[in-house]
Amino acid sequence: MDSADCLALANIVTEMYVARAVSYEPSVAAHVINLSGRQRMLIQKMGKEAVLLRLGVDVSGDVGDLNLSIQLFTHTHISLLEGNMNLGLQATTDHCIVQQMQSVWDLWTSYEILVKTAEQETIKTSVAVLEAIDDEATPLISAMDLAVSFYAAGAGHCTRTYTDVEWQELIAEVSHLGEWSQKLAKELCLISRDIDLSVNVARLANTTQQFSEMLLKVKFGSTPDSLPASPTEAVLRQIFDVSDLWTSFRALVDTDINSAVEAADIVNDVLLLG
């Protein structure tokens, strides 16, 4: 039996436990605990796949496996935060868990660069890269361990303090949400009046994308932008309320708007009557 067979059997057993837990005690966050815990396995699995690439055992197969592992880790992280009904996941609304998941993402960003280097260099991957992957796996797994314990408990514990720069950036970005919501409305109104139709349709698409990205950063934090995750439960829940409204609105503006009439219908339904 190789490691892949062992992993497959372990996954089957885990899914059996999850199914039993859900049927026996629905209040147990079995899916959340399982998927957040699986992230630790994926970290180790990616390290193994990087080593196999260096050994040249099955380069094409291991490249594919590593790529899938990277995608699965990223997808699961986002699903744990934003929720994914197909996976049985609700959105994470505990601000301490969100803060911890931001720490996980920060460590993952560096780890991902290393494993992608191995994916690209395959048998030419340097020993230094493999050692760095091994070194960085430990703090990443530790951070994920803490996140898993928070998910298992249903709440986290955090005592993080914010720097002046972080407060400034957070307040600035949150204030931009109101600004950009009005920019969206303006562009939609201009389209509905057939004013520079193609130009404003392009602007609306760009503003929509930027608003979504900004909302995501405000909701879950973005270290490169000096944005911490939400400081309190109340703030996070308010941001989720904004996000829920935005999801409904985006579903309308994401459709192809090819005429002023189509835009006018949205203006009438959302901006005037909503």
Side-chain angles (χ1 to χ4, degrees):
M1 177 185 294
D2 61 20
S3 64
D5 293 331
C6 185
L7 176 59
L9 289 174
N11 286 339
I12 291 172
V13 173
T14 302
E15 291 299 330
M16 292 173 68
Y17 270 107
V18 169
R20 181 59 178 167
V22 170
S23 63
Y24 180 75
E25 183 51 74
S27 64
V28 175
H31 293 299
V32 178
I33 298 169
N34 175 35
L35 291 174
S36 59
R38 188 181 67 181
Q39 295 291 77
R40 297 172 299 189
M41 177 277 293
L42 287 171
I43 295 165
Q44 296 284 26
K45 184 171 181 284
M46 284 181 273
K48 178 202 73 175
E49 288 160 350
V51 172
L52 289 176
L53 282 171
R54 175 67 169 81
L55 296 175
V57 177
D58 177 12
V59 173
S60 61
D62 290 326
V63 165
D65 289 343
L66 180 53
N67 184 260
L68 287 175
S69 296
I70 293 170
Q71 291 183 41
L72 183 56
F73 186 95
T74 302
H75 176 70
T76 303
H77 184 93
I78 294 171
S79 295
L80 284 166
L81 286 173
E82 295 190 312
N84 185 321
M85 297 310 296
N86 292 329
L87 297 176
L89 299 175
Q90 299 292 328
T92 299
T93 56
D94 181 276
H95 73 288
C96 288
I97 298 179
V98 170
Q99 287 181 19
Q100 183 58 29
M101 288 292 277
Q102 183 180 6
S103 297
V104 169
W105 188 257
D106 291 343
L107 292 166
W108 161 247
T109 300
S110 176
Y111 190 78
E112 182 185 23
I113 292 172
L114 291 170
V115 293
K116 280 189 172 181
T117 298
E119 180 187 15
Q120 294 167 358
E121 297 182 354
T122 62
I123 61 174
K124 295 181 180 179
T125 302
S126 68
V127 173
V129 168
L130 295 179
E131 289 177 341
I133 289 174
D134 193 47
D135 289 342
E136 293 197 15
T138 300
L140 178 54
I141 290 172
S142 295
M144 198 65 228
D145 267 336
L146 186 55
V148 172
S149 70
F150 286 172
Y151 275 119
H157 173 71
C158 52
T159 56
R160 175 175 177 174
T161 57
Y162 292 74
T163 66
D164 290 346
V165 171
E166 287 177 324
W167 277 118
Q168 290 166 10
E169 291 297 327
L170 189 56
I171 293 170
E173 288 302 309
V174 170
S175 67
H176 281 319
L177 290 176
E179 172 193 342
W180 284 74
S181 69
Q182 298 310 295
K183 188 173 186 292
L184 282 162
K186 178 191 71 176
E187 290 164 351
L188 193 56
C189 288
L190 289 172
I191 296 170
S192 73
R193 296 299 181 184
D194 204 10
I195 299 173
D196 291 334
L197 186 65
S198 60
V199 172
N200 282 303
V201 165
R203 286 176 177 169
L204 179 63
N206 182 60
T207 304
T208 298
Q209 182 61 33
Q210 291 193 52
F211 188 95
S212 293
E213 292 174 357
M214 187 186 305
L215 186 58
L216 194 63
K217 290 177 181 179
V218 169
K219 190 161 37 172
F220 299 125
S222 174
T223 300
D225 298 297
S226 298
L227 285 176
S230 298
T232 68
E233 195 85 6
V235 169
L236 183 59
R237 289 191 178 279
Q238 194 67 37
I239 293 173
F240 265 96
D241 287 343
V242 174
S243 182
D244 289 342
L245 290 172
W246 170 243
T247 299
S248 300
F249 181 73
R250 180 162 188 175
L252 294 173
V253 298
D254 262 353
T255 57
D256 290 332
I257 300 176
N258 299 309
S259 69
V261 174
E262 292 174 353
D265 288 339
I266 298 175
V267 169
N268 186 59
D269 291 342
V270 179
L271 301 183
L272 299 182
L273 300 181

